[in-house]
Structures are given as structure tokens and as C-alpha cells.
Amino acid sequence: MMMSNTALSDTGNVWIRNSLPNQKDLIVHCKSAKEDMGYHRVHPRGAYNLLYKLRYEEYFMRLYEINDNWCHLWQGHDFKHHQVFDVQSGEQWEAREDGIYRWSALVYAWDATRSKASSLGSSCFSLGLLSVSSFFFFYFI
């Protein structure tokens, strides 16, 4: 039983809300292996809605969603605090002063090491958030 990927086309949906105090903006940059969704500045109490096309693959007569999406978030003075994490359709994330929350539970603290940390350098560099020496430090770790 072979099914067409076009027959299963659907849209993935992830919400990222800015709940930072003191009128702080949040920078959001989401990507996948095939697409860059760009940089977005989210004002206080605002939200960014990531929409993307879901992709499926068939294994042993069952369909599985391929999830290769992740987001970078920056906040703080000169946007020096950062986190990167994988996202899946249907999730709701919230940026707070002490970290990133999913469904009201703290999941990631700011500036904690993550698996996609090697992509931190290139993203921050293009935003102009890190100096060149910091870029090389993070990129080649």
C-alpha cells in the first residue's frame, strides 16, 4: 500500500510566546534541514506562530512524520542569552526570564549547552550578536 506524500500534505504549527519581563523583546529563528524560516522579533506579550509543511515517510506499511525543525531564541541585554531546541507540531513554547517552557513546565535554561550548539555560531554571527572570536569559539567546540 503506497501512499503519495502530496495526499498527506498538512501544516505543522508551533507557537512561541514572549513572556519576558521589563518590556524585553525576543528574537526567534526557526529552521529545518531544508528550509530557513527567517528571523523574527517578538515584542513583549506577543507570539510567533511557526507554520511549516509536514513531511511523512513510510516504513513497514506505516507512516511516520519526519521532524527536523528547531528554533533558536535570544533575549536579554543585547540579546546575549540564547537557547536552541527541537520543536514538533502542536507544541506551545514560552520564553520567560529563567528559561524556555513547554506546556508551562521549564524545559531549557538560557545558555545551557544543547545538541545543535554548533549551529549557534553561524546564527548569532549573522545577527551580529557575537564577536568574531566568540563565533569561532562556539562554532568549533
Side-chain angles (χ1 to χ4, degrees):
M1 169 177 122
M2 217 37 183
M3 297 185 80
S4 164
N5 284 346
T6 57
L8 294 171
S9 294
D10 202 2
T11 302
N13 183 21
V14 175
W15 282 95
I16 300 174
R17 189 171 75 199
N18 180 356
S19 294
L20 296 167
N22 305 321
Q23 300 298 312
K24 291 181 188 174
D25 283 345
L26 178 71
I27 300 288
V28 177
H29 181 210
C30 296
K31 299 173 79 171
S32 73
K34 294 187 176 192
E35 186 177 4
D36 187 332
M37 288 72 157
Y39 291 88
H40 303 273
R41 187 178 207 123
V42 181
H43 298 298
R45 296 182 307 280
Y48 171 66
N49 185 16
L50 169 64
L51 297 173
Y52 59 94
K53 183 178 178 181
L54 292 174
R55 297 180 310 137
Y56 298 91
E57 284 192 7
E58 184 176 3
Y59 295 104
F60 302 108
M61 307 293 283
R62 296 185 68 140
L63 293 173
Y64 295 91
E65 179 184 340
I66 298 170
N67 183 37
D68 61 353
N69 297 295
W70 66 91
C71 293
H72 294 263
L73 302 183
W74 291 270
Q75 67 96 1
H77 180 69
D78 294 328
F79 299 102
K80 67 180 179 178
H81 299 294
H82 173 265
Q83 188 52 270
V84 58
F85 52 94
D86 294 329
V87 296
Q88 298 206 11
S89 184
E91 292 181 331
Q92 296 179 17
W93 294 89
E94 183 178 6
R96 297 184 191 174
E97 187 67 22
D98 60 339
I100 312 298
Y101 287 71
R102 181 178 55 208
W103 309 114
S104 299
L106 178 63
V107 180
Y108 304 112
W110 291 105
D111 304 316
T113 303
R114 295 285 301 137
S115 62
K116 288 185 172 51
S118 63
S119 60
L120 162 64
S122 59
S123 296
C124 287
F125 185 74
S126 62
L127 262 178
L129 297 176
L130 293 176
S131 68
V132 173
S133 61
S134 296
F135 166 74
F136 286 109
F137 173 76
F138 285 112
Y139 190 75
F140 292 108
I141 287 182

